[in-house]
Amino acid sequence: MPYNAEMSARKLVTMHGIRKMHSAKEKIAMLTCYDAMFARVLDDAGVDILLVGDSLGTVLQGHPTTLPVSVTDMAYHTACVARGNRTAWLIADMPFGAYQESDELAVHNAILLMQAGAHMIKLEGGGWTPPIVKRLVERGIPVCAHLGFTPQSVHALGGYRVQGRDETSATQLRNDAAELVAAGAEMLVLEMVPAALARDITEALTIPVIGIGAGVGCSGQVLVLHDMLGLTFGKPARFVRDFLDGAKCVAVLESVVASKKSKSWTKVASIR
């Protein structure tokens, strides 16, 4: 039985449908997802877009950054999500090293992710990325761009810092966004950007802009699933909203362990 029978019967979310949502100023809901079970749950809950993010490196693999994530990792988790998903639009991140070397390598790796089940790929950065975006789009691969704080450049950016605070960097972000749209990007993620700047960029572009730590003026919002559930190793970012309270999850698991170690579990679990 699906979690939500009404949502399980919804039509496929397509890029055309997302454009219509954007035109109607309907907010777009995006969450990260890494496995089939959560894909089914999120799809039934009505999430518009599932993002198989390279954040799986920190969330699932325990790395301090996303840099160690491979194309093989991304293809595996994309395939898992694709099997559980039924109607949501599915975006897969191009991990670090998957597109920096050459346009040809970018096309090759994007094809692998599309074959794994992605509907669109996402890549980070501006300035040098528009030619790659153009190359991918010309070959029928939809692209979501990513500007602002780009986790794959965490060391170059000097850590987890808000981007676009001064006029020079804000102007650069505006220009980068316009160039990516001109190259064919159909969606843009803005991460850790001042709310006013994110709103201005959103209003200036003709494509949906999804914010994360970028205020409420974007076309929609994305959060890392585990952050949203309060399941994190350390202190979450200031913009993260804990909808579940991960501490309660831990308390439930502690009660399960206590029950297993007590006679009460034996009474419940015994087969007669």
Side-chain angles (χ1 to χ4, degrees):
M1 175 69 74
Y3 292 88
N4 187 322
E6 181 179 347
M7 290 311 304
S8 67
R10 72 171 174 174
K11 294 181 179 179
L12 288 174
V13 178
T14 63
M15 198 59 228
H16 176 69
I18 292 170
R19 291 191 203 99
K20 289 180 66 175
M21 292 174 66
H22 176 238
S23 297
K25 298 190 182 303
E26 178 183 348
K27 292 294 186 180
I28 299 165
M30 181 193 294
L31 284 171
T32 64
C33 188
Y34 315 104
D35 61 63
M37 179 55 71
F38 266 119
R40 180 60 55 86
V41 172
L42 297 180
D43 182 35
D44 284 348
V47 176
D48 301 307
I49 302 173
L50 303 180
L51 170 63
V52 185
D54 59 0
S55 51
L56 67 87
T58 55
V59 172
L60 300 186
Q61 297 176 336
H63 296 298
T65 72
T66 64
L67 298 180
V69 177
S70 68
V71 174
T72 300
D73 294 333
M74 291 304 306
Y76 170 80
H77 286 279
T78 298
C80 290
V81 172
R83 286 191 288 269
N85 178 44
R86 289 183 288 195
T87 64
W89 185 249
L90 201 166
I91 302 176
D93 267 342
M94 292 271 275
F96 181 71
Y99 55 101
Q100 284 84 353
E101 184 177 328
S102 67
D103 292 2
E104 290 74 20
L105 181 65
V107 171
H108 173 77
N109 288 324
I111 288 172
L112 293 178
L113 296 182
M114 296 292 286
Q115 289 176 331
H119 303 145
M120 170 181 267
I121 64 90
K122 181 169 75 66
L123 51 78
E124 297 181 5
W128 60 277
T129 54
I132 298 175
V133 172
K134 187 174 187 294
R135 189 80 174 267
L136 293 172
V137 171
E138 287 174 345
R139 283 151 182 77
I141 301 172
V143 176
C144 174
H146 184 154
L147 294 173
F149 174 72
T150 46
Q152 293 173 15
S153 302
V154 60
H155 299 309
L157 295 174
Y160 295 84
R161 298 172 178 272
V162 175
Q163 303 297 306
R165 284 192 182 277
D166 60 84
E167 189 55 39
T168 300
S169 58
T171 298
Q172 186 64 59
L173 278 175
R174 292 188 185 95
N175 293 340
D176 287 346
E179 289 173 359
L180 286 162
V181 173
E186 295 191 76
M187 195 179 303
L188 171 66
V189 168
L190 277 181
E191 182 168 357
M192 292 176 65
V193 171
L197 175 60
R199 182 196 61 227
D200 291 347
I201 292 175
T202 301
E203 292 176 352
L205 299 182
T206 56
I207 64 171
V209 177
I210 309 298
I212 175 168
V216 298
C218 298
S219 312
Q221 300 291 325
V222 60
L223 278 177
V224 172
L225 175 64
H226 293 64
D227 289 347
M228 181 270 292
L229 297 178
L231 300 173
T232 61
F233 286 125
K235 184 178 178 180
R238 287 182 297 173
F239 59 80
V240 171
R241 179 180 173 187
D242 183 349
F243 284 82
L244 184 63
D245 187 355
K248 291 181 180 178
C249 293
V250 175
V252 169
L253 293 173
E254 288 174 343
S255 69
V256 170
V257 172
S259 178
K260 275 180 169 289
K261 291 179 177 292
S262 70
K263 293 182 179 180
S264 62
W265 179 273
T266 304
K267 291 178 181 178
V268 172
S270 294
I271 299 176
R272 298 182 183 280

